Amino acid sequence: MMKFLSKAKREDIFGKTCLLRADLNIKSGDRGSSLRIKRLIPTINFLLKNNCKIILLSHRGRPKPINGPSLRSKIKILKDDSLFSVAKELSASLGKKVSFEEGLDLKEIKKRIDIFESGIFMLENLRFFLGEDKNDLKFAKNLSAFGDFYVNDAFAFSHRKNASMCAITKFLPSYFGLNLESEMKNLDKVIKNPKKPLVVILGGAKVSDKAGLINNLIKKADFILLGGGLANTFFALKNIPIGDSLCEKNYDIKPFEKLIGKKIILPSDVVISKKRILDIGSKTIEAYSSIIKKAKTIIWNGPMGMIEDKKFEKGSLGVLKAIISSGAFSVVGGGETTSFLIKKSLDKKISFLSTGGGAMLAYLSGKKLPALK
Ligand code: ADP
Ligand code: MG
């Protein structure tokens, strides 16, 4: 059974080696990525205070896994697929040495690390190993040999059934890390008895991911405000022409049809460029803002428009400002959405930034995440 690291008995962890699973799946040069690193630091410091040696595990990108140890020595690992630069970034944020353990020969690496009594070590991208994605027991067992106990602090990856997230807990005493604990507590606040009105704002590109959230929150939410590709999808299904706009064709809005204009609010005006809807319009910003300002609880996932271009960020900025001035308990998640807040230096004005995109949506949708079971 998983327990909380914050409540671990001292004798169970003190002076021991911890296998710490983090989500360091970070794109090079992504500013928002600092959030995942920042939120891992309290757990690392907690472990160091308990004299633990730390072995960090993570995945990154989608490299092709390597089949069999004989091939491992020969392959060339691309820079963006390696965790090497992430280890450097983490080390700089932490102000402590993080030794990156190059290579994929786990036995070799273990020998190297075993010599040290203490320190922070990071293994190479777990996605190079076939067993990781397959939640393979044998691979999990090999990993487990590196430590005395296991901590999962990779909330953003908890919706995936991988060996270092699930199978590994069969071999070691297992704990939820401090970040994961705070994610669960804060997300629980917005789904279990939220202070009303509860306003949910959904946008972005990954429509089918977010649709599940509408299903689960429709009863609890007072308003669901739509933007981005999600709004376009609703437009298209209502036969409102959307030109070449981003939308999801295989999504059925029938169950929600009666609620459109009541609980589910669509933009009343939009910004169009080259036959594409790229942001919500100024009247919509005003209407959404007045609903948001009355909220006591707010969930936001997915930008209102194509925020990478300054011309189309007004909708997301407007929503963000309304959230801040509402004084409501607010939770914001999603890779692009949280990056946007950090870029605008407005992230600290939000009650809780979730490090999860898909995982946050799955959690809020009421699904049991495999790694949290
Ligand atoms: P998050 O990462 O916050 O969960 P998504 O990954 O679902 O959000 O989508 C983010 C992307 O959605 C952004 O890159 C943004 O440019 C894009 N986007 C939002 N609205 C539109 C739109 N109307 N047209 C095209 N792209 C959009
Ligand atoms: Mg995204």
Side-chain angles (χ1 to χ4, degrees):
M1 213 191 53
M2 301 277 284
K3 292 165 277 190
F4 290 112
L5 178 66
S6 62
K7 298 188 183 70
K9 284 196 200 117
R10 189 175 186 268
E11 67 262 31
D12 289 341
I13 61 170
F14 195 85
K16 297 192 172 176
T17 300
C18 172
L19 264 177
L20 174 56
R21 180 46 156 110
D23 185 348
L24 297 171
N25 183 14
I26 285 164
K27 283 185 208 134
S28 309
D30 176 15
R31 256 197 247 217
S33 70
S34 59
L35 181 66
R36 289 199 184 157
I37 288 185
K38 215 167 81 189
R39 293 274 283 280
L40 181 63
I41 289 176
T43 299
I44 294 181
N45 284 333
F46 181 92
L47 292 166
L48 292 176
K49 246 200 239 155
N50 280 285
N51 271 7
C52 294
K53 178 171 149 186
I54 301 170
I55 321 276
L56 275 159
L57 306 173
S58 181
H59 67 288
R60 191 184 190 203
R62 286 221 159 267
K64 248 195 150 90
I66 289 124
N67 201 356
S70 54
L71 289 167
R72 275 176 204 153
S73 51
K74 287 179 201 146
I75 65 139
K76 205 171 166 275
I77 293 174
L78 297 174
K79 221 172 98 203
D80 281 351
D81 286 337
S82 173
L83 280 167
F84 172 73
S85 61
V86 179
K88 264 187 24 196
E89 211 176 309
L90 173 64
S91 170
S93 302
L94 196 61
K96 293 195 175 77
K97 189 177 169 195
V98 176
S99 309
F100 179 71
E101 295 303 318
E102 213 176 35
L104 300 169
D105 189 332
L106 291 180
K107 275 195 189 136
E108 256 317 290
I109 294 165
K110 188 169 177 305
K111 264 192 232 155
R112 240 160 40 210
I113 299 179
D114 276 352
I115 297 169
F116 297 92
E117 292 238 313
S118 61
I120 307 168
F121 305 85
M122 190 188 289
L123 302 192
E124 184 53 283
N125 188 351
L126 295 180
R127 278 196 170 151
F128 282 115
F129 300 94
L130 262 182
E132 171 65 355
D133 247 5
K134 297 201 160 83
N135 196 30
D136 181 59
L137 280 172
K138 203 170 151 227
F139 177 59
K141 194 168 182 218
N142 289 343
L143 281 180
S144 72
F146 277 83
D148 303 311
F149 69 100
Y150 165 80
V151 171
N152 178 359
D153 217 13
F155 174 74
F157 201 55
S158 291
H159 55 320
R160 300 280 184 236
K161 208 170 170 176
N162 277 29
S164 67
M165 299 291 294
C166 298
I168 196 164
T169 61
K170 293 202 188 327
F171 303 101
L172 291 173
S174 302
Y175 300 88
F176 291 128
L178 306 187
N179 175 52
L180 210 144
E181 183 178 356
S182 89
E183 290 275 0
M184 291 203 278
K185 285 192 174 150
N186 279 290
L187 297 183
D188 282 348
K189 257 194 221 175
V190 298
I191 38 165
K192 295 181 184 160
N193 297 318
K195 275 198 185 163
K196 306 271 267 170
L198 166 64
V199 174
V200 181
I201 308 151
L202 293 175
K206 291 176 189 156
V207 175
S208 47
D209 282 4
K210 320 214 173 189
L213 197 57
I214 302 184
N215 266 329
N216 193 50
L217 291 177
I218 197 78
K219 284 209 183 88
K220 281 183 198 152
D222 295 279
F223 291 102
I224 298 184
L225 313 178
L226 300 185
L230 203 51
N232 297 343
T233 302
F234 274 75
F235 286 145
L237 292 160
K238 286 185 71 186
N239 292 320
I240 298 169
I242 57 161
D244 300 334
S245 302
L246 177 78
C247 101
E248 166 100 26
K249 290 194 180 69
N250 304 317
Y251 176 55
D252 181 20
I253 60 156
K254 274 245 153 53
F256 307 119
E257 223 159 6
K258 282 197 186 125
L259 293 168
I260 296 171
K262 295 186 182 97
K263 252 190 192 188
I264 298 176
I265 315 290
L266 295 180
S268 59
D269 61 338
V270 292
V271 179
I272 298 170
S273 169
K274 293 183 186 143
K275 287 194 191 161
R276 291 170 73 206
I277 300 171
L278 292 176
D279 199 4
I280 56 173
S282 55
K283 278 198 192 115
T284 306
I285 297 176
E286 225 173 274
Y288 282 11
S289 296
S290 79
I291 293 173
I292 291 167
K293 282 178 187 165
K294 288 182 201 121
K296 289 273 189 298
T297 309
I298 298 168
I299 300 170
W300 181 22
N301 184 298
M304 295 291 100
M306 210 183 73
I307 43 166
E308 289 79 4
D309 186 334
K310 265 204 161 187
K311 288 201 291 274
F312 309 114
E313 64 167 31
K314 285 202 190 79
S316 302
L317 206 51
V319 159
L320 175 56
K321 285 183 178 156
I323 295 175
I324 292 168
S325 62
S326 73
F329 181 78
S330 54
V331 167
V332 178
E336 267 87 11
T337 314
T338 48
S339 288
F340 178 71
L341 268 62
I342 292 167
K343 205 171 100 192
K344 297 287 171 203
S345 304
L346 290 170
D347 50 305
K348 291 201 179 65
K349 305 220 181 263
I350 296 297
S351 314
F352 184 71
L353 276 201
S354 176
T355 53
M360 169 190 164
L361 291 170
Y363 194 91
L364 294 178
S365 299
K367 289 185 190 139
K368 295 244 179 312
L369 311 196
L372 306 188
K373 270 195 215 164

